[in-house]
Amino acid sequence: MHREFLMGNEAIALGAIAAGVNLITGYPGTPSTEVLETVAKNRQENQYVEWSVNEKAAMEVAAGAAYCGARVMVTMKQVGLNVASDPLMSLEYIGVKGGMVILVADDPGPISSQTEQDTRRFSAFSKLPCFDPSSAQEAYEMVQEAFAYSEEYGTPVFFRPTTRVCHGYASILVKDVEEYSLHKAEGFVKDSKRWVIFPRLSYQNHRKIEERNERLSEVFSEYERNRIYPEEGENAGTRKGIATGGISFTYAMEARDSLGAVRLFKVTTPHPFPEKRALEFLEGLDEVLCLEELDPVIERELTYLCGKYHLPVKIYGKLSHHVRNAGENTRDSVAEDIRKFLGEPDNDSARHMGIEQEREAPCGTADKGQSAALAGEAELPAPPALPVRPPVLCAGCPHRASFYAVKKAMKGKKTIFCGDIGCYTLGNAMPMDMVDTCLCMGAGLGIAQGVGRIEPDTSCFAFVGDSTFFASAITGVVNAVYNQARMTLVVLDNSTTAMTGHQPHPGTGQTMMGEVVSKINIEAVLRGIGVQVVETVNPLDHEAAVECVKRVESEPGAKAIIFKSPCIAVVKASNALKASEDRCIGCKKCVRELGCPALVIKDGKVRIDDSLCTGCTLCSQICPTGAIGGGKNE
Ligand code: SF4
Ligand code: SF4
């Protein structure tokens, strides 16, 4: 160990390097910017750093790397978190394998931002644990602990310094290079039940997250940084306490030196709130003053606990108008707030603000009559089990042909297929099994890039629909081109927004008002962004599609294939095909490899259900005996 005079952001960066961070992405924003810059300057071998095109792309690239077991960090400021919230909210439901620290620097004041939003609230909203450092030294040490918690609980975690922690300087103890941890990523292990977000998985994982956060509340109650400083000396019998966190804790400790040692509770993990430790703190107190910047997070938690446990403790803070409810705290403002609290508690004001409310009858008593009525009802017989109908791509869906072409072209190679949100997410079902990850709209691009950074020997594909391309995938393409990622984008262009009911989009040439407008050409957009290799092919021409994938994938850098064929719901179907009973040898290749619902087996041979078949001809192209024919080519 040795001492260095460092800015808080530099301390966080060195802490992340010491923890063996493998990849760090971010988008610049005061007061967070120097964290990524410092990692870039001091990075060790195999540590990848990029400024991403925005916070969403940064989050997705980092998520892909974390899926591989890499330790990753994403940096942004609080308003940037709004941009990243789409992948973030889903990522909590998916979880991570490698430790993932999301550094969001808050800006009370605000000094250089549009809003005073509080990431601790976003933490509760998104259900992610949050670490709130109070000094540069603590930030250095705590960021290393945050990686460990993230890995142990399989969740991204927030690390939320505020401006004065980020930009304050201090002489701090840091590790020598020889003491750094080396973290090696295990690699991506395919498991679509884990990495593809389907509604059923979300429901199951939501339950697990709630249980985990209850457990974490207990774990954090034992975390030594959530600490109670006992009252001492002349304040020993005052029955008053101060609850605080972040930089306000540091200010409060300074005030304590001159104003006396009142009992103090330092909240380092505002979410999940360390409930048991908080109850220890509240024990025997009459009044508590909450000192925190931005939102009254600690104040609300303590008020809630007093209600939950019927504790006769008055909680003062922003909600009770005892301290300012906006702007930055300072050393002087905190000292002044404490002085007033210890000298002249304004009980009238507290009563006026509704702190002393009469307690209602215990919850639940009003429902008793209703429960009895329900109990008297005859029990209904259990309904019969419904037949299982797994979701499946439609018969003749061009996406089936696209997935199949990529699968054939990449057979035997190490690949990852990053899916996206749309009906093509169903490409994850057997027999296609072509969606290894799915997070949120447009995320496949970033995830493919993240996996590629950790596993350069993997061929990384990102699939996206035409509507999703316009909605939120374009930034991911810009990110790939700018940061020189090696990946293949596959645009599944079926000329509509199929999953939600065939709404028009910028590539369809009409608006919702029925106006005919210029179509925005996806190939031209990709070329305009700088993608050098872009090919458009009809996926229903199987041989040409496979050749195209092989050719394009072997090119360096970011390249794209546009599989263009309209959705079966927007064009008139051709005549259904027919399978010849004489020529079919019952090998089931067509059923096994395509899974088209129009193909059925009868007496060991294939039949085609002409009420479903659209005449796409894909099955006839792969049948080894030429048993399938007819349709419009007949
Ligand atoms: S032609 Fe074959 S693959 Fe296409 S819809 Fe008909 S049965 Fe299915
Ligand atoms: S691939 Fe051809 S021969 Fe094999 S089961 Fe299908 S139709 Fe019959």
Side-chain angles (χ1 to χ4, degrees), residues 179-191:
E179 296 171 277
Y180 288 175
S181 300
L182 285 177
H183 183 80
K184 193 157 168 23
E186 178 200 359
F188 183 78
V189 178
K190 293 197 182 205
D191 180 0

Side-chain angles (χ1 to χ4, degrees), residues 310 360-367:
H310 306 286
E360 301 283 338
C363 292
T365 49
D367 294 339

Side-chain angles (χ1 to χ4, degrees), residues 20-21 57 190 309 357 523 542 597:
V21 70
K190 293 197 182 205
Y309 294 98
Q357 289 172 346
E523 186 166 332
H542 180 60

Side-chain angles (χ1 to χ4, degrees), residues 218-251:
E218 305 234 332
V219 171
F220 284 161
S221 287
E222 302 298 319
Y223 184 35
E224 59 172 17
R225 296 188 191 279
N226 284 319
R227 192 162 159 197
I228 299 168
Y229 295 78
E231 60 273 32
E232 287 166 12
E234 63 194 47
N235 281 321
T238 53
R239 299 171 69 88
K240 290 183 177 191
I242 291 168
T244 183
I247 194 68
S248 302
F249 161 77
T250 306
Y251 297 151

Side-chain angles (χ1 to χ4, degrees), residues 119 131 153 220 283 303 307 327 405 424 451 528 558 560:
T119 298
F131 293 83
Y153 291 92
F220 284 161
E283 175 72 39
T303 305
Y424 46 91
V451 172

Side-chain angles (χ1 to χ4, degrees), residues 534-579:
V534 186
E535 289 202 28
T536 300
V537 65
N538 179 358
L540 294 172
D541 183 346
H542 180 60
E543 211 176 293
V546 172
E547 283 310 309
C548 177
V549 175
K550 285 183 181 166
R551 200 169 48 247
V552 172
E553 196 283 329
S554 65
E555 296 283 343
K559 53 267 174 184
I561 300 161
I562 302 169
F563 282 125
K564 195 159 176 57
S565 182
C567 173
I568 58 158
V570 299
V571 287
K572 196 172 173 299
S574 305
N575 292 338
L577 268 60
K578 288 190 173 45

Side-chain angles (χ1 to χ4, degrees), residues 395-396 577 594 596 598-599 608 612-620 628:
L577 268 60
L594 298 181
C596 173
L599 296 167
I608 292 181
L612 292 178
C613 177
T614 64
C616 78
T617 77
L618 187 62
C619 56
S620 69
I628 301 174

